[in-house]
Amino acid sequence: MGAVLLLVVGAFVTPVGTKLIDRLFPSEGTLEIVDLAVEDVGSAAVLDISVQNRGTARVVSRRASIRVERFTQIRVCNTQGELEVTGEYDLSLPSPADVGYTASKKLNQQVGADEADRFQVRLQNKDQKKPHTVSFYGLDVTIETNGSPPSIHAGKAMVALPLVPSNTDAGWYWSSRFVREPLDWLGPQQAAVEACMHGNSRAMQEFLTGPGVLSEALLNLRSDLL
């Protein structure tokens, strides 16, 4: 009994003893999601994730898993000339993507007891070199940790890669702009181009009414569709 007592007393003054105390009297970290946001940056979509450790021990976020729940793709119809971010991670998504496909990225985010953290996962796809095609992903985001619970659901998000379509310099979809500015200058191609744009609008309207947080650019796109 005396030997055990000496060992425990020594635990308070040596690094080895500190580790022993952690084993004998384990504390528990509990990580919670505070916020999931989406931002469009260049040819990437950024998932901005904020967490809070509500427990009494340090928690390590080990991996982010991004599961594709929905996917659609459109082609251009006509072309005319807060918390400091402590970690950033790049992740590539396939195009096209099968529903159920899961991509994951190893993390190394440590959150002390009663501390907050924020990190970003930057999503891209191979179409960044082929801007005549835009892919829409409905994603489910999960973070794996060494705390309790070992897996936390961050939420759902919708992203467009490699860009959010805009009618500023290309004809992607039908909007009020083309009610004011008819496309009769296209001549014999007008009917085909307008049919393509109407089809893209319907596809995006259906997709963007699904579950998931949207970036400001996607919210603006959804309100512009006709």
Side-chain angles (χ1 to χ4, degrees):
M1 182 67 177
V4 173
L5 179 60
L6 286 174
L7 189 58
V8 172
V9 171
F12 290 98
V13 294
T14 68
V16 173
T18 300
K19 292 182 179 179
L20 178 61
I21 286 296
D22 289 341
R23 292 182 181 179
L24 292 175
F25 307 101
S27 53
E28 186 174 84
T30 303
L31 205 65
E32 295 181 2
I33 296 295
V34 175
D35 187 47
L36 169 65
V38 182
E39 182 181 0
D40 297 298
V41 181
S43 62
V46 176
L47 301 181
D48 194 321
I49 303 168
S50 299
V51 298
Q52 176 79 37
N53 184 357
R54 305 292 186 187
T56 56
R58 182 172 296 274
V59 174
V60 179
S61 297
R62 291 175 168 171
R63 184 174 298 275
S65 295
I66 315 294
R67 182 177 183 272
V68 177
E69 292 194 326
R70 298 182 303 126
F71 178 84
T72 193
Q73 193 172 68
I74 65 169
R75 294 183 179 276
V76 67
C77 299
N78 182 65
T79 303
Q80 305 177 29
E82 352 117 318
L83 282 173
E84 179 184 357
V85 175
T86 60
E88 296 178 330
Y89 304 87
D90 290 338
L91 187 61
S92 180
L93 295 178
S95 175
D98 293 329
V99 172
Y101 173 86
T102 300
S104 63
K105 187 69 177 182
K106 187 176 181 180
L107 306 176
N108 185 24
Q109 297 293 122
Q110 299 189 30
V111 192
D114 200 30
E115 290 183 358
D117 188 31
R118 176 185 171 197
F119 57 93
Q120 296 179 336
V121 179
R122 197 168 85 136
L123 305 175
Q124 291 182 300
N125 70 7
K126 63 182 181 181
D127 291 333
Q128 55 188 308
K129 296 182 179 179
K130 189 173 56 176
H132 297 308
T133 301
V134 173
S135 297
F136 290 82
Y137 302 83
L139 306 174
D140 190 66
V141 185
T142 303
I143 306 300
E144 297 176 17
T145 79
N146 69 337
S148 175
S151 179
I152 54 176
H153 184 228
K156 298 180 185 293
M158 286 187 280
V159 302
L161 297 174
L163 51 81
V164 175
S166 168
N167 279 334
T168 302
D169 57 0
W172 286 98
Y173 58 90
W174 191 255
S175 67
S176 58
R177 170 188 173 182
F178 301 110
V179 176
R180 300 188 307 269
E181 305 172 16
L183 297 173
D184 48 10
W185 56 271
L186 286 170
Q189 296 181 341
Q190 180 178 358
V193 169
E194 289 186 356
C196 172
M197 296 170 77
H198 281 292
N200 283 350
S201 286
R202 286 193 297 271
M204 290 188 289
Q205 283 175 332
E206 180 179 355
F207 192 88
L208 294 175
T209 54
V213 294
L214 301 173
S215 67
E216 183 178 354
L218 278 178
L219 286 170
N220 291 336
L221 169 64
R222 186 171 67 181
S223 65
D224 194 36
L225 297 171
L226 286 182

